[in-house]
């Protein structure tokens, strides 16, 4: 899936089924800027893609980075929100 240049890719072999929905592991990326591990939660009351905690976002060529990131995308009006990254 691609939304505003951000690509979400999920592993169909890594699905956890629960009574109220499912969880799938994958990645969200925008080459060459970032590649984060995420989980897609599709539950009876909501759907969201959340960044797995404690990842690093390197934003310069000389190694400057942000740690302990959080990002989230969710459906909104027949599309997905942008993928904001928080620290």
């Amino acid at each position: 899936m691609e939304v505003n240049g951000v690509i979400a890719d999920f592993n169909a072999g890594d699905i956890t089924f629960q009574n109220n929905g499912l969880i799938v592991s994958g990645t969200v990326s925008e080459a060459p800027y970032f590649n984060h591990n995420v989980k897609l939660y599709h539950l009876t009351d909501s759907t969201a893609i959340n960044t797995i905690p404690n990842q690093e976002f390197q934003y310069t060529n000389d190694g400057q980075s942000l740690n302990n990131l959080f990002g989230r995308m969710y459906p909104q009006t027949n599309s997905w929100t942008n993928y904001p990254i928080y620290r």
Side-chain angles (χ1 to χ4, degrees):
M1 167 179 85
E2 183 175 346
V3 177
N4 298 329
V6 174
I7 297 172
D9 186 29
F10 297 96
N11 182 354
D14 192 13
I15 298 175
T16 302
F17 292 97
Q18 300 181 332
N19 289 338
N20 64 337
L22 59 89
I23 301 170
V24 185
S25 295
T27 60
V28 169
S29 62
E30 184 177 5
Y33 304 111
F34 66 86
N35 184 3
H36 296 151
N37 295 318
V38 297
K39 289 198 182 230
L40 177 130
Y41 295 85
H42 183 62
L43 308 175
T44 53
D45 64 347
S46 64
T47 300
I49 299 171
N50 292 336
T51 303
I52 295 173
N54 301 318
Q55 294 185 69
E56 180 178 271
F57 174 48
Q58 183 175 331
Y59 60 91
T60 66
N61 290 335
D62 61 357
Q64 292 181 334
S65 61
L66 298 173
N67 295 315
N68 302 321
L69 298 178
F70 174 79
R72 183 169 194 247
M73 294 174 68
Y74 53 90
Q76 184 177 35
T77 316
N78 299 321
S79 187
W80 285 79
T81 61
N82 289 333
Y83 180 68
I85 300 171
Y86 304 100
R87 179 171 183 239

